[in-house]
Amino acid sequence: MTRANNAGWFRRLSRAALALVSALLVTAVAACGPSASLPSDQKAGSAPSTGSGSTGDVRSMDEIKRSGRLRVAVFSDKAPFGYVDKDGTYQGYDVYFANRLAKDLGVKAEFTPVDPAARVDVLASNKVDVTMANFTVTEERAAKVDFAKPYMKVFLGVVSPESAPITDVSQLKGKTLIIAKGTTAEPFFEKEHPEVKLLKYDQYADAYSALSDHRGDAMSTDNTEVLAWAKANKGFTVGITKLGDEATIAPAVRRGNKPLLDYINQEVDKLGKEGFFHKDYEETLRPVYGDAANPDDIVIEGGQG
């Protein structure tokens, strides 16, 4: 074969090889297409999106009963409402209620720790059946989850060092306020007091560590929480005990999960008749607050303030 024939044969072979590779690439891309087009909040291999940011179907009441567990999102670092004790057991006001909800359903509560900003997401992704992480009811959240009847009421509070107490919001101008992301303190200060510099943390434990280390001038979250923390940490005081409007705290289920929502609402009514939430207060909150707080300022029985 001549050198010219060799060159022509090589060019024809190259074109054939390129065509084969291109065909293989097209086939591969087509095969991968559905996974590549998944929404950014859904990983490959997970259930298809329902179109509302949700992943998969909620578990039916029968499925929950058959599984023997009610999956509940709670805080692991927000004493005395949701925390893990020295023995690794979940404790707190929210946990006490969650255990009773599960017991009356004939199952056990299985707890999943959650950061404040992820309380909606764990429901949307079907990782839990109900969120009971000191979840304050707001219009924005109610557009994403279904809240049951409330079992607690709350304001915002501000805790600061005793050596430089913050007793009025005006004192925060030009200072640094520590908050946890995803809490009601975040939108409140961003909207009502944009002059206040916010230092944000994902977890409560990190936020309180920052306050203890004086990385900020004060911290704001639920008044019930800051009162408890200041009582347990010398050198700090709650100079503002009621900030903003009174709000309520309630369990939340994924949007549209009416069977579980109905069950929780029925439980809230039933437990209210037996004074359950005041008993919950006595078991979990009075050891922290002592006589410094009035149970009726915190507890909601039977969904009624």
Side-chain angles (χ1 to χ4, degrees):
M1 187 178 293
T2 65
R3 182 175 299 177
N5 287 338
N6 271 337
W9 175 84
F10 184 76
R11 284 194 296 271
R12 288 193 297 274
L13 179 62
S14 296
R15 286 195 294 269
L18 284 172
L20 177 61
V21 170
S22 297
L24 290 173
L25 284 173
V26 169
T27 302
V29 169
C32 296
S35 295
S37 62
L38 285 172
S40 60
D41 62 345
Q42 183 180 324
K43 295 181 180 179
S46 61
S49 170
T50 63
S52 61
S54 303
T55 303
D57 295 326
V58 297
R59 298 196 302 165
S60 69
M61 297 298 287
D62 285 340
E63 287 173 327
I64 292 174
K65 291 177 182 178
R66 285 198 300 270
S67 74
R69 58 198 175 96
L70 178 68
R71 304 173 306 172
V72 186
V74 294
F75 286 131
S76 61
D77 60 352
K78 191 179 181 182
F81 302 98
Y83 66 99
V84 178
D85 67 15
K86 58 182 177 59
D87 298 319
T89 303
Y90 280 91
Q91 302 285 0
Y93 186 80
D94 295 340
V95 172
Y96 191 95
F97 178 25
N99 279 325
R100 178 62 185 270
L101 273 182
K103 180 182 177 182
D104 287 356
L105 194 58
V107 299
K108 291 185 178 181
E110 178 183 88
F111 296 111
T112 294
V114 65
D115 292 335
R119 287 175 289 186
V120 170
D121 293 340
V122 291
L123 289 171
S125 61
N126 205 26
K127 292 179 180 177
V128 299
D129 304 306
V130 55
T131 290
M132 297 181 66
N134 225 224
F135 210 9
T136 304
V137 179
T138 67
E139 288 185 8
E140 181 182 4
R141 290 169 177 170
K144 300 175 182 177
V145 302
D146 285 340
F147 281 104
K149 293 181 178 181
Y151 60 97
M152 188 174 161
K153 47 194 171 184
V154 68
F155 287 89
L156 287 175
V158 176
V159 58
S160 52
E162 288 180 339
S163 58
I166 299 296
T167 57
D168 189 270
V169 179
S170 62
Q171 295 173 286
L172 288 170
K173 186 175 181 179
K175 295 184 178 179
T176 299
L177 179 68
I178 299 167
I179 62 169
K181 295 177 183 177
T183 62
T184 51
E186 185 176 21
F188 174 80
F189 279 96
E190 287 179 342
K191 180 181 178 181
E192 303 295 335
H193 298 282
E195 74 279 5
V196 178
K197 179 183 177 181
L198 301 180
L199 180 58
K200 304 179 182 182
Y201 290 90
D202 290 322
Q203 299 181 344
Y204 277 104
D206 293 335
Y208 280 119
S209 292
L211 181 62
S212 297
D213 296 340
H214 301 284
R215 280 175 266 162
D217 299 289
M219 177 176 167
S220 180
T221 187
D222 294 350
N223 60 350
T224 50
E225 163 63 11
V226 292
L227 285 166
W229 189 85
K231 194 172 179 63
N233 291 267
K234 293 183 179 180
F236 292 89
T237 184
V238 180
I240 302 176
T241 59
K242 290 187 176 182
L243 184 63
D245 297 328
E246 181 181 271
T248 58
I249 287 175
V253 301
R254 206 172 90 176
R255 194 86 167 144
N257 190 356
K258 191 173 185 300
L260 183 55
L261 183 69
D262 289 344
Y263 167 71
I264 296 173
N265 282 334
Q266 291 166 8
E267 279 288 291
V268 171
D269 289 340
K270 182 185 81 171
L271 296 177
K273 293 176 182 178
E274 65 180 64
F276 170 84
F277 295 99
H278 276 82
K279 181 181 179 182
D280 188 348
Y281 179 96
E282 294 298 322
E283 293 287 334
T284 62
L285 301 186
R286 185 173 291 282
V288 175
Y289 295 127
D291 296 328
N294 181 353
D296 292 331
D297 289 339
I298 298 175
V299 173
I300 296 178
E301 287 285 9
Q304 302 296 321

